[in-house]
């Protein structure tokens, strides 16, 4: 059995705690959050799980072998690097870090210590995406010509990352998993309609060396929630 600590009990943290709690091979030792009200919810639903306002308590707890991080993106790197340096495996909610440089540092730290560093790209583990991967890998769809996706809704606005980092990363992880090749160039355009806040609408086009093109539309301002993906081949 592996001991788990969860940092952050806001939007996604409750899902992590619930799933780890229900897995016989894992035990949620403690949850950390800066909000006493959120920690009261943990205590009410899971009386056996410890709570703390200070995530350092999880890092210093020898019973905890792995830490799941579900905080704002701006805090991901600092918590993750400390957890890895303490010898703990790390699961981070997407996006992994605020920059590629931070991501590379975490990867190097995990490799050096032979630890698991994982990003929670949930769609890669769904039945539909795994079936698409199988169809592409078996050449059932032939040569892939395009990947077209719309991921829009009147959504939860993030204040430390833009809509590409929040929504497009889902499709980027799916593409990385199912497509037979990697993009060689990217064009991205976005706009913010709230002064001082990140872009809330964006369009991305990804180009490949083959006759393959991908287009992503992501939007926090759409009046309807749409999750649509088209993959064409012949």
């Amino acid at each position: 059995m592996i001991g788990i600590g969860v940092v952050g009990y806001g939007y996604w943290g409750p899902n992590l705690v619930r799933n780890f709690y229900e897995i016989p091979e894992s035990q949620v030792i403690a949850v950390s959050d800066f909000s006493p009200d959120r920690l009261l919810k943990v205590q009410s639903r899971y009386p056996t799980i410890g709570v703390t306002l200070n995530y350092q308590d999880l890092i210093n707890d020898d019973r905890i072998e792995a830490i799941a991080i579900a905080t704002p993106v701006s805090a991901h790197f600092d918590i993750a690097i400390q957890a890895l340096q303490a010898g703990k495996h790390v699961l981070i909610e997407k996006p992994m870090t605020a920059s590629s440089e931070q991501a590379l540092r975490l990867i190097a730290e995990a490799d050096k210590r032979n630890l698991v560093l994982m990003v929670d790209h949930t769609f890669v583990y769904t039945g539909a995406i795994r079936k698409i991967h199988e169809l592409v890998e078996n050449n059932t769809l032939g040569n892939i010509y395009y990947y077209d996706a719309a991921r829009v809704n009147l959504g939860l606005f993030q204040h430390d990352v833009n809509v590409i980092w929040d929504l497009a990363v889902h499709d980027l992880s799916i593409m990385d998993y199912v497509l037979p090749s990697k993009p060689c160039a990217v064009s991205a355009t976005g706009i913010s309609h709230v002064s001082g806040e990140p872009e809330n609408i964006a369009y991305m086009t990804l180009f490949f060396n083959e006759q393959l093109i991908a287009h992503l539309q992501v939007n926090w301002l759409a009046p309807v929630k749409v999750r649509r993906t088209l993959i064409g081949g012949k």
Side-chain angles (χ1 to χ4, degrees), residues 32-49:
S32 170
D33 196 282
F34 62 79
S35 168
D37 291 339
R38 291 174 182 170
L39 295 180
L40 284 174
K41 293 179 180 179
V42 177
Q43 290 178 309
S44 174
R45 184 167 183 177
Y46 309 100
T48 61
I49 296 178

Side-chain angles (χ1 to χ4, degrees), residues 4-21 28 30-33 38-39 41-42 45-46 49 68-72 76 91-94 120 156:
I4 304 291
V6 178
V7 182
Y9 199 75
Y11 177 70
W12 199 252
N15 296 323
L16 293 172
V17 173
R18 184 185 72 252
N19 282 280
F20 281 126
Y21 187 83
V28 182
V31 174
S32 170
D33 196 282
R38 291 174 182 170
L39 295 180
K41 293 179 180 179
V42 177
R45 184 167 183 177
Y46 309 100
I49 296 178
I69 302 171
T71 65
H76 284 186
L91 169 69
I92 310 179
E93 282 306 311
K94 61 80 188 170
D120 189 15
L156 179 67

Side-chain angles (χ1 to χ4, degrees), residues 201-218:
I201 296 176
Y203 300 89
M204 296 179 66
T205 302
L206 291 84
F207 304 91
F208 299 76
N209 288 322
E210 301 82 0
Q211 286 184 309
L212 167 62
I213 192 169
H215 184 261
L216 311 180
Q217 173 191 356
V218 287

Side-chain angles (χ1 to χ4, degrees), residues 98-145:
S99 70
S100 58
E101 291 80 10
Q102 289 181 345
L104 291 171
R105 286 184 61 187
L106 292 184
I107 292 169
E109 191 71 30
D111 286 344
K112 181 174 70 175
R113 299 175 183 274
N114 196 29
L115 294 169
V116 174
L117 172 65
M118 179 179 177
V119 184
D120 189 15
H121 290 307
T122 56
F123 286 99
V124 173
Y125 303 95
T126 62
I129 299 304
R130 287 183 172 267
K131 183 61 177 180
I132 293 171
H133 173 78
E134 177 187 322
L135 293 174
V136 173
E137 190 173 54
N138 294 339
N139 204 35
T140 304
L141 302 180
N143 294 324
I144 305 301
Y145 288 165

Side-chain angles (χ1 to χ4, degrees), residues 117-222:
L117 172 65
M118 179 179 177
V119 184
D120 189 15
H121 290 307
T122 56
F123 286 99
V124 173
Y125 303 95
T126 62
I129 299 304
R130 287 183 172 267
K131 183 61 177 180
I132 293 171
H133 173 78
E134 177 187 322
L135 293 174
V136 173
E137 190 173 54
N138 294 339
N139 204 35
T140 304
L141 302 180
N143 294 324
I144 305 301
Y145 288 165
Y146 66 86
Y147 180 106
D148 190 277
R151 193 172 295 274
V152 307
N153 56 271
L154 191 59
L156 179 67
F157 277 62
Q158 306 292 340
H159 301 289
D160 55 350
V161 294
N162 62 37
V163 70
I164 289 179
W165 287 74
D166 181 48
L167 294 182
V169 290
H170 287 305
D171 287 294
L172 294 174
S173 68
I174 293 170
M175 291 168 57
D176 183 62
Y177 179 60
V178 304
L179 294 184
S181 56
K182 309 298 181 186
C184 60
V186 178
S187 170
T189 304
I191 189 170
S192 172
H193 296 89
V194 181
S195 178
E197 292 294 317
E199 292 82 357
N200 47 51
I201 296 176
Y203 300 89
M204 296 179 66
T205 302
L206 291 84
F207 304 91
F208 299 76
N209 288 322
E210 301 82 0
Q211 286 184 309
L212 167 62
I213 192 169
H215 184 261
L216 311 180
Q217 173 191 356
V218 287
N219 187 337
W220 282 333
L221 292 180

